[in-house]
Amino acid sequence: ATAFLKKQYPDQWEQKTKEYNQLFNEPPLEAEELERTIFKSHRNKEYNKQEDNQEEPPQDFWEDFDSAGTTDQESGKKNKFPKLKIETGDEIFYSEDIPINWAIENILPEGMTILASLPKVGKSWLALQISMAVRNATEVLGFKVKEGKVLYCAYEDNKKRIKERFKLMGVKAEDKKPDFVYQTLGLTEGLEEQIEDWIKNTPDAQLVVIDTYFFALPQSNKRSFKERYEIDSKNLSGIHRIALDYNIAILIVHHTTKGKHDDSFNEISGSVGMQSIADTLWVI
């Protein structure tokens, strides 16, 4: 597969290999393993258009598929990509209706939600109030809440600050409380797998809060402002897929810009890639 990508994208083949690794491997190969098993063996090789010079993809590259490839019956040659997993329109039409899983009735559904405001407006306080409401099935913002477990990625906080907020919010000893983490891997660097592991090992997982988006960014993106749409879309696509696959809500706390716009959603910091991939947008 890498040989094919190197021929098709001579200047971008390494990036394309990383993208295909994320799309087709379950779980994706770690960066060190990619470097050791694929990049190292292909960087110094030149590939021409002769079919005989194309290399077969590593077996583990297609590990999660039913077959590592299909064979063309006429030519006997192995195709480079697995067959599409088709679901017919009739299968979808006649499938069982699955109701939306609302963390907060009518305003916070399953999927990925962006909660954005200027600094110091109170978005982290709101996110914590929502988390406590979900744990205890109490109303928030005047809406009914469905009870479930919560994972709160509190990148800007620590145990002391969270405890102080509990006191100011009047949290009682008997109240159920979220799970907290203060450090994780970055988006596209393992955070998705860490969150998916928590979901799989947590019955009734209902909500994940990422506070804030900036601190969840991969290290390579924090100072890059090139191709923001592509970067935001790539960073959020994995976490968005987890929210849909497990029918839970993932709330990402983010910032707005200082300028005012006719459309409030355009005040969300970053590219429109964030708006396009999110299922729900909240702007304070």
Side-chain angles (χ1 to χ4, degrees):
T2 306
F4 171 81
L5 293 173
K6 193 169 183 181
K7 287 179 61 181
Q8 294 295 110
Y9 309 98
D11 298 324
Q12 297 178 303
W13 68 273
E14 291 194 25
Q15 180 60 35
K16 292 292 182 182
T17 301
K18 293 177 183 178
E19 292 175 3
Y20 275 54
N21 175 48
Q22 292 293 325
L23 286 170
F24 297 123
N25 274 340
E26 182 59 40
L29 300 179
E30 297 289 342
E32 291 182 1
E33 189 173 0
L34 272 179
E35 186 70 31
R36 183 175 65 254
T37 63
I38 298 178
F39 292 155
K40 187 175 181 180
S41 64
H42 286 270
R43 279 202 180 98
N44 296 324
K45 291 183 179 180
E46 296 296 333
Y47 296 91
N48 57 36
K49 295 183 179 179
Q50 297 297 321
E51 186 71 18
D52 293 340
N53 287 339
Q54 293 187 3
E55 295 186 2
E56 294 295 331
Q59 184 63 33
D60 57 356
F61 195 84
W62 307 107
E63 167 175 70
D64 193 44
F65 288 91
D66 295 334
S67 169
T70 57
T71 301
D72 188 312
Q73 293 182 355
E74 293 182 4
S75 66
K77 293 180 180 178
K78 203 168 190 179
N79 297 328
K80 291 297 179 183
F81 299 101
K83 288 184 177 180
L84 294 172
K85 295 182 178 180
I86 302 296
E87 187 170 38
T88 69
D90 279 341
E91 288 173 334
I92 296 172
F93 183 83
Y94 291 109
S95 64
E96 180 185 358
D97 290 336
I98 301 175
I100 295 174
N101 180 28
W102 293 96
I104 304 177
E105 193 175 60
N106 297 327
I107 63 170
L108 184 59
E110 63 191 51
M112 190 180 78
T113 296
I114 303 292
L115 164 60
S117 77
L118 290 172
K120 307 305 179 185
V121 168
K123 54 187 177 293
S124 292
W125 282 94
L126 176 58
L128 187 56
Q129 285 179 310
I130 291 170
S131 299
M132 287 297 302
V134 170
R135 284 298 286 120
N136 295 277
T138 54
E139 286 192 0
V140 64
L141 301 175
F143 293 90
K144 294 180 180 179
V145 175
K146 182 178 179 180
E147 182 180 352
K149 302 288 180 61
V150 180
L151 176 66
Y152 198 116
C153 302
Y155 298 120
E156 298 179 286
D157 294 310
N158 55 28
K159 183 190 296 186
K160 179 180 178 181
R161 291 186 66 179
I162 296 297
K163 187 171 183 178
E164 286 298 318
R165 291 186 177 188
F166 278 164
K167 291 179 180 178
L168 290 170
M169 290 169 60
V171 175
K172 301 178 179 65
E174 60 269 23
D175 290 336
K176 299 175 184 177
K177 303 165 186 69
D179 296 332
F180 291 88
V181 292
Y182 310 106
Q183 292 182 323
T184 67
L185 296 174
L187 289 164
T188 74
E189 295 176 341
L191 175 56
E192 295 85 351
E193 289 78 7
Q194 290 178 318
I195 289 175
E196 187 171 20
D197 180 70
W198 177 81
I199 295 170
K200 288 179 177 179
N201 291 285
T202 306
D204 302 321
Q206 176 75 318
L207 173 66
V208 175
V209 177
I210 295 176
D211 186 6
T212 62
Y213 175 62
F214 174 80
F215 287 97
L217 288 175
Q219 292 298 317
S220 59
N221 285 172
K222 287 188 176 179
R223 296 190 179 184
S224 173
F225 293 93
K226 297 179 180 179
E227 301 174 331
R228 291 305 312 177
Y229 183 95
E230 180 180 345
I231 290 173
D232 287 335
S233 298
K234 181 179 178 182
N235 287 341
L236 293 171
S237 61
I239 208 78
H240 178 241
R241 174 48 52 191
I242 289 173
L244 296 182
D245 286 348
Y246 291 95
N247 300 315
I248 71 166
I250 296 182
L251 180 67
I252 298 181
V253 180
H254 191 39
H255 297 287
T256 55
T257 60
K258 292 182 179 179
K260 289 293 181 182
H261 296 263
D262 292 336
D263 186 340
S264 296
F265 296 127
N266 288 334
E267 296 173 18
I268 297 173
S269 180
S271 74
V272 292
M274 299 194 69
Q275 298 180 42
S276 65
I277 201 168
D279 299 291
T280 307
L281 300 171
W282 289 12
V283 175
I284 302 176

